[in-house]
Amino acid sequence: MPTVLVLNGPNLGRLGSREPDVYGSADLDALRAELTATAPAGWTIDLRQTDDEGELIGWLHEAADSGAPVILNPAAFTHYSYGLRDAAALVTKPGGTLIEVHLSNPHARETFRHTSVISGVASGVIAGFGFDSYRLALLQVVGSS
Ligand code: DQA
């Protein structure tokens, strides 16, 4: 049964109450429900969130070992975590799929958000469409499998 790992970085556990003007007022449980409803029958959505860089890197190692496609919102790690970048490359360099997603459009925000150290090793990037960023990434994953 194909599994898609939907991995979320720091502070995304606060979705729903965190800056709703930027990130919306729905939480991760609502995102999980929306992605589960979008996934074709037989696909599993394994959505996780952590504030811990090492834990997120460990989950990417898991994807590198299993070959599971990844939808990754690296949150603030996007902008500076070379450790996360190297772990993302472990997924994509051998041919695996990792799509970087963002709820907001970081390029329309503060200058420090304009840099992503992840994009260069991602299969693709979708940003600015709220939960639809994840949904579009999922449609790409299932469509290309
Ligand atoms: C974010 C954008 C990042 O700049 C920010 O640090 C986040 C969320 C987004 O989904 O729009 O935490 O990744």
Side-chain angles (χ1 to χ4, degrees):
M1 191 139 100
T3 295
V4 184
L5 285 175
V6 183
L7 306 181
N8 294 277
N11 302 306
L12 291 171
R14 296 287 171 139
L15 273 190
S17 58
R18 174 191 179 200
E19 298 181 73
D21 49 317
V22 178
Y23 298 116
S25 52
D27 62 14
L28 280 183
D29 287 338
L31 176 60
R32 183 181 290 107
E34 195 170 317
L35 294 178
T36 300
T38 300
W43 284 72
T44 299
I45 301 298
D46 184 351
L47 187 148
R48 308 177 192 177
Q49 187 275 330
T50 182
D51 296 328
D52 185 299
E53 188 177 8
E55 187 168 30
L56 193 52
I57 288 171
W59 290 342
L60 290 179
H61 291 174
E62 189 184 316
D65 291 341
S66 71
V70 178
I71 297 170
L72 173 65
N73 186 341
F77 293 150
T78 306
H79 312 302
Y80 64 88
S81 175
Y82 297 118
L84 195 64
R85 178 196 165 98
D86 287 348
L90 286 173
V91 175
T92 55
K93 292 286 183 201
T97 298
L98 181 147
I99 302 180
E100 176 186 344
V101 298
H102 299 281
L103 295 152
S104 67
N105 174 3
H107 298 281
R109 301 179 62 195
E110 303 96 318
T111 311
F112 77 88
R113 297 186 202 275
H114 298 182
T115 298
S116 168
V117 301
I118 308 298
S119 298
V121 295
S123 310
V125 183
I126 303 173
F129 301 110
F131 282 3
D132 278 349
S133 295
Y134 292 76
R135 226 171 40 78
L136 291 166
L138 177 60
L139 292 174
Q140 172 61 28
V141 165
V142 301
S144 63
S145 293

